[in-house]
Amino acid sequence: MTIKLTIPGMACSACASNITKAVIAIDANAIVEADTKTKFVNVETQASESVIREALIAAGYPPS
Ligand SMILES: [Cu+2]
């Protein structure tokens, strides 16, 4: 499924990279599209949204 998130703390490409890594750590097959300008993140994954959200919070990028 596709999870759509807004992550206000995503400021630059390094943030996007950290967010991608946090998701990949949960689901190695996940596809992450992150736009640092709009702060929108699309995650295509088999993992549940709550698990992805928890991983992003733990990584320091809480979704709004
Ligand atoms: Cu950054």
Side-chain angles (χ1 to χ4, degrees):
M1 66 179 165
T2 302
I3 301 168
K4 294 182 186 294
L5 302 167
T6 302
I7 303 182
M10 180 175 67
C12 67
S13 59
C15 297
S17 174
N18 289 336
I19 287 165
T20 300
K21 283 179 192 160
V23 173
I24 295 291
I26 300 295
D27 176 3
N29 296 316
I31 298 167
V32 182
E33 291 173 6
D35 186 330
T36 56
K37 290 193 183 114
T38 61
K39 316 299 184 193
F40 290 147
V41 179
N42 281 341
V43 180
E44 180 67 39
T45 179
Q46 302 301 313
S48 71
E49 177 164 348
S50 61
V51 169
I52 296 295
R53 281 180 174 270
E54 280 175 24
L56 292 173
I57 291 166
Y61 298 98
S64 62

